[in-house]
Amino acid sequence: MEGVKHIVAVASGKGGVGKSTVTANLALAMAAEGYRVGLLDADIYGPSQAQMLGIGEGVRPQQAGENTFKPLEAHGIQAMSMAFMVDVTEPMVWRGPMVAGAFQQLLNQTAWDNVDYLFIDMPPGTGDIQLTLAQKVPVSGAVIVTTPQDIALLDARKGIEMFRKVNVPVLGVVENMSLHICSNCGHSEPIFGAGGGERIAAQYQTRLLGQLPLTMAIREQSDGGKPTVVAEPDGEVAQTFKRVAQAVAEGVESQQAEGPSISFGD
């Protein structure tokens, strides 16, 4: 893709596991490592990156050409989302082909400016957008987000299997909400179970990239438009995201050294 070196899909197979929060912080952590970073919010029905990145309602991208738009910038990264194109309360009552077409337009009609890593915040499931991504886009790799809960792991497996079927390398697994940490006393408890991310990574012979806690601070920072990597750059959670970013960069470079293995499907 013009203006983009590497594309990394961040997927979960299931909603509600904190994938968008992980994507935003991972993109910001990669930028903190000195890379030029872009973030594409591919969830057409429920885009959330505008609020997470603190981009105000009604802010629209400027045209870069007849059919292209400049990405908006927030916290040092380039961003594009359906939320920048429509009113925040407007539902996208579209069938699958229209959604897939909108995704392609957001991706290809954005004038990405020399991006080293473009992170794509994928919607839940394994449907039209995921298939369009695999068929139309040269994806460098995928990161799977899950919680330790068995129900989440069921769908995370489907996400991994989907990327394998289209020969997109799975760079690793991020286990979110590993421990709940009480904001009053600091007590930690694995309320969603323990070891799920490690088990699924071992099952599919990939890496457990990192484990993240369930804390009120992460939620408040995301809702407030200053994700944890920006709000507390020296904190433990931010350091975990930076280690995950380093591991993702190493994984992409390793895949590149091995040569292309991407199939675009039928």
Side-chain angles (χ1 to χ4, degrees), residues 188-202:
S188 61
E189 184 178 12
I191 60 175
F192 291 117
E198 187 174 10
R199 290 195 302 274
I200 197 172

Side-chain angles (χ1 to χ4, degrees), residues 4-207:
V4 178
K5 291 182 181 177
H6 304 295
I7 297 175
V8 176
V10 183
S12 63
K14 180 178 179 62
V17 298
K19 170 186 51 58
S20 294
T21 300
V22 170
T23 306
N25 278 288
L26 181 55
L28 291 165
M30 190 70 84
E33 294 298 305
Y35 295 98
R36 293 180 62 85
V37 176
L39 197 166
L40 174 65
D41 189 348
D43 194 341
I44 305 300
Y45 292 125
S48 57
Q49 290 297 343
Q51 180 165 341
M52 287 194 178
L53 295 175
I55 298 173
E57 182 180 345
V59 178
R60 300 287 184 256
Q62 296 180 345
Q63 279 195 286
E66 185 177 350
N67 294 312
T68 58
F69 292 90
K70 294 180 180 180
L72 297 180
E73 292 202 12
H75 307 303
I77 66 174
Q78 302 171 41
M80 181 55 70
S81 171
M82 182 57 74
F84 305 156
M85 303 295 183
V86 299
D87 185 86
V88 68
T89 61
E90 182 179 344
M92 309 310 294
V93 188
W94 289 351
R95 295 188 184 275
M98 293 180 66
V99 172
F103 165 66
Q104 289 189 74
Q105 286 183 301
L106 288 176
L107 182 66
N108 296 316
Q109 294 181 9
T110 299
W112 303 105
D113 185 12
N114 294 319
V115 167
D116 295 310
Y117 285 92
L118 175 62
F119 289 93
I120 301 183
D121 182 10
M122 302 296 294
T126 55
D128 291 282
I129 288 183
Q130 286 79 1
L131 185 58
T132 299
L133 178 77
Q135 290 179 330
K136 305 293 185 181
V137 182
V139 184
S140 299
V143 173
I144 303 297
V145 180
T146 186
T147 68
Q149 188 177 8
D150 289 344
I151 296 298
L153 294 171
L154 285 174
D155 290 324
R157 289 187 177 93
K158 294 176 183 177
I160 293 175
E161 291 286 359
M162 176 200 69
F163 285 117
R164 285 192 161 192
K165 285 182 183 296
V166 294
N167 295 324
V168 172
V170 175
L171 303 173
V173 175
V174 174
E175 184 184 85
N176 196 26
M177 308 182 195
S178 295
L179 290 170
H180 172 255
I181 301 176
C182 177
S183 57
N184 290 323
C185 67
H187 173 72
S188 61
E189 184 178 12
I191 60 175
F192 291 117
E198 187 174 10
R199 290 195 302 274
I200 197 172
Q203 178 183 354
Y204 287 97
Q205 298 178 325
T206 189
R207 300 176 65 177

